[in-house]
Amino acid sequence: MKLDVLLGLQWGDEGKGKIVDVFAPRYDVVARFQGGPNAGHTLEFDGIKHVLHQIPSGIFRKNTRNIIGNGVVLDPVIFKTEIGKLEKYNLDVRSGLFISKKATLILPTHRLLDQAYEQAKGEKKIGSTLKGIGPTYQDKIGRQGLRVGDILSPEFPQRYKKLTDIHLEILRDHSVSFDLPALEASFIEAVEFLKSFQLIDSEYFINEELKKGSRVLAEGAQGALLDIDFGSYPFVTSSNTVAAGACNGLGVAPMHVGEVFGIFKAYSTRVGGGPFPTELHDETGALIRKEGNEFGSTTGRPRRCGWLDLPALKYSIMINGATQLLMMKADVLNIFQTIKVCTHYKLNDGTETDRIPFEIANEPVVPVYKEMKGWNVKLEGSGWDDMPKALREYVEFIERELGVPVKLLSYGPDRTQTILR
Ligand code: GDP
Ligand code: IMO
Ligand code: MG
């Protein structure tokens, strides 16, 4: 069977967690391939809301196994807390969750370095979630990181100390205060806890499953516009969030990739710094934030809100090879009589383009909008034909512009508020 990939086409928080949970019964395995606890994936069913940071969103489905892949950066302390929160649901987490020995460990000092680097950036700060993501990937690429499999080695304590000493040396030049013994005590405890899980060579596991005919879904974190190569650098995260990242982050060859599900909201949001052409600083932006409850699932920060950006989506679809689109949070736009969609950008020299210019971080572009009729009613029903005409026209316009079919529409946070087309 093929490896399907589900990922965000915008700046994250598109609703990936909800849809992975909805799709999970169709899959034997769900696997995270990049990012770490900077992710906050929300699932809602039976009146309960769950937010997952490191654990794949297939965890609530009985017959789905879940993998934390080699491309992930894992914080044992956050992992332990997350597992603790799941305990009351009587899930058999230990038998269904597998962690790659090649996933990179986030140490307490990585989190401190994240803080130090952000502080040093002053006005130009990225708006990191401060979970230690950047410094951990830096150590991975710098070939000095520690990996999950290393915790089983008798030399782990020395290797941990060696890397921590390097970090402490850097931290000496920054004004970050911390209580290292306390941080280390919880880290050591969490590492012991992690040892009680199934630590595996996940690339063998996944390839053997695919060969056997199992269905595997790769769950992206963040979004394509936060990708380290293709996002609005330097206002990005430190991993490849795009479809190709699933190959690196799981050890699956490109020829095995099947569907690429590209998720987007019916509008745009971004949390943290960086260019956001359609951002609304007015009442409309505030209304979208309120209706969409646009506050970060990981940090609680208010998300920046704006209209849908088609040039940005076209770019993401190209980079990812999205084969189907899933449109989320249509209900958030119920309140509007008219809705705007950005079709082009106007550049400084007066020309229009539907491409993202390299210079976007320093030379802001002006969005060119098409105005559309809003549906302005509460969304109800279970089929596409139950949806109001104006919403269907909005979706059909987007499809025509993007050249990829919208196969799913979400109109509420609950599992059931989902329409397959
Ligand atoms: P993720 O990071 O992509 O998994 O998305 P988040 O969980 O960070 O943010 C999406 C938010 O929107 C969560 O609070 C979801 O419960 C919520 N959500 C998902 N789909 C819908 C939808 O169709 N309508 C509304 N109103 N909320 C939704
Ligand atoms: P999910 O998976 C939205 C943003 C941060 C910051 C930048 C870098 O829930 O969609 P980092 O902590 O990675 O160094 O932060 O990326 N960011 C996210 N924004 N959703 C996320 O994840 C994000 N993960 C990181 O706000 O701007
Ligand atoms: Mg999120």
Side-chain angles (χ1 to χ4, degrees):
M1 284 302 271
K2 295 281 191 188
L3 170 82
D4 293 343
V5 184
L6 182 144
L7 47 82
L9 296 178
Q10 296 164 314
W11 289 277
D13 303 328
E14 296 89 351
K16 299 175 290 294
K18 164 174 169 167
I19 299 302
V20 171
D21 170 62
V22 169
F23 282 3
R26 302 192 217 157
Y27 287 91
D28 302 292
V29 178
V30 171
R32 280 276 309 267
F33 58 90
Q34 46 67 236
N38 49 349
H41 293 181
T42 315
L43 291 67
E44 230 177 285
F45 53 89
D46 301 338
I48 306 175
K49 181 170 156 173
H50 307 271
V51 183
L52 298 171
H53 299 286
Q54 303 192 119
I55 297 172
S57 302
I59 200 74
F60 292 99
R61 301 295 197 171
K62 207 163 155 252
N63 298 318
T64 308
R65 280 161 297 154
N66 290 271
I67 295 183
I68 297 177
N70 57 277
V72 169
V73 288
L74 183 79
D75 185 328
V77 179
I78 297 178
F79 176 76
K80 183 167 177 281
T81 308
E82 227 178 313
I83 295 284
K85 283 192 184 148
L86 292 178
E87 243 145 42
K88 60 176 179 256
Y89 300 108
N90 277 332
L91 307 166
D92 191 6
V93 175
R94 266 199 175 66
S95 72
L97 179 63
F98 301 83
I99 303 165
S100 170
K101 286 184 183 170
K102 294 191 176 71
T104 308
L105 288 173
I106 302 179
L107 310 188
T109 40
H110 283 128
R111 273 182 271 140
L112 301 172
L113 286 172
D114 218 352
Q115 261 185 54
Y117 295 151
E118 276 287 76
Q119 271 175 23
K121 287 195 172 82
E123 293 266 287
K124 294 250 179 232
K125 75 174 181 183
I126 288 159
S128 163
T129 60
L130 302 180
K131 302 291 177 195
I133 307 297
T136 306
Y137 276 118
Q138 254 179 308
D139 277 348
K140 171 180 174 173
I141 302 298
R143 297 168 293 187
Q144 61 179 8
L146 291 174
R147 303 193 289 178
V148 166
D150 295 330
I151 66 175
L152 304 173
S153 154
E155 283 159 29
F156 181 72
Q158 290 91 303
R159 294 185 59 190
Y160 166 81
K161 183 165 186 314
K162 195 170 165 205
L163 186 53
T164 301
D165 284 345
I166 295 173
H167 295 162
L168 292 173
E169 192 63 37
I170 302 170
L171 284 166
R172 221 182 276 169
D173 294 334
H174 294 267
S175 57
V176 176
S177 55
F178 52 89
D179 175 357
L180 192 61
L183 292 172
E184 291 194 323
S186 56
F187 181 74
I188 291 164
E189 197 188 321
V191 163
E192 284 310 310
F193 180 76
L194 186 57
K195 282 184 190 166
S196 67
F197 281 79
Q198 306 183 72
L199 313 180
I200 62 162
D201 293 315
S202 59
E203 61 277 36
Y204 280 112
F205 183 105
I206 293 178
N207 280 292
E208 280 158 13
E209 287 294 326
L210 288 170
K211 212 175 216 169
K212 270 198 301 207
S214 296
R215 301 200 50 179
V216 183
L217 178 65
E219 173 181 3
Q222 291 78 56
L225 303 175
L226 289 171
D227 180 271
I228 183 75
D229 281 280
F230 301 106
S232 41
Y233 193 89
F235 298 98
V236 293
T237 190
S238 300
S239 64
N240 280 118
T241 60
V242 294
C247 296
N248 290 331
L250 295 174
V252 173
M255 65 188 178
H256 294 308
V257 174
E259 295 292 328
V260 177
F261 302 107
I263 293 211
F264 67 101
K265 291 184 201 189
Y267 49 95
S268 309
T269 66
R270 176 165 201 167
V271 55
F276 181 4
T278 63
E279 181 171 14
L280 295 165
H281 297 279
D282 57 6
E283 172 79 354
T284 307
L287 273 172
I288 295 177
R289 184 173 311 110
K290 180 166 164 278
E291 290 297 307
N293 190 23
E294 294 295 355
F295 296 89
S297 315
T298 299
T299 58
R301 290 177 291 177
R303 295 177 183 145
R304 302 157 65 193
C305 297
W307 296 118
L308 193 67
D309 183 336
L310 293 179
L313 283 180
K314 280 182 190 169
Y315 183 73
S316 289
I317 287 168
M318 173 179 80
I319 300 295
N320 286 296
T323 58
Q324 350 185 340
L325 302 177
L326 321 176
M327 190 174 100
M328 310 298 289
K329 302 189 90 160
D331 56 302
V332 174
L333 301 184
N334 290 358
I335 52 167
F336 296 108
Q337 305 260 349
T338 53
I339 291 171
K340 288 186 185 176
V341 191
C342 168
T343 56
H344 292 84
Y345 302 143
K346 197 172 210 167
L347 305 177
N348 275 348
D349 64 5
T351 57
E352 286 187 7
T353 180
D354 67 350
R355 294 177 169 223
I356 303 182
F358 175 81
E359 295 77 14
I360 195 161
N362 304 315
E363 294 173 29
V365 295
V366 178
V368 178
Y369 288 112
K370 175 184 165 69
E371 205 165 279
M372 300 194 67
K373 198 167 169 294
W375 42 97
N376 210 212
V377 290
K378 186 165 183 254
L379 301 179
E380 280 165 320
S382 56
W384 177 242
D385 295 333
D386 300 327
M387 294 296 116
K389 185 162 170 273
L391 170 55
R392 284 185 276 133
E393 283 173 359
Y394 182 67
V395 171
E396 282 155 10
F397 172 73
I398 293 166
E399 272 183 328
R400 275 198 307 277
E401 288 287 306
L402 301 177
V404 183
V406 175
K407 296 274 206 172
L408 179 148
L409 186 80
S410 170
Y411 66 98
D414 194 83
R415 262 182 194 168
T416 56
Q417 291 165 308
T418 312
I419 290 175
L420 295 176
R421 245 177 112 202

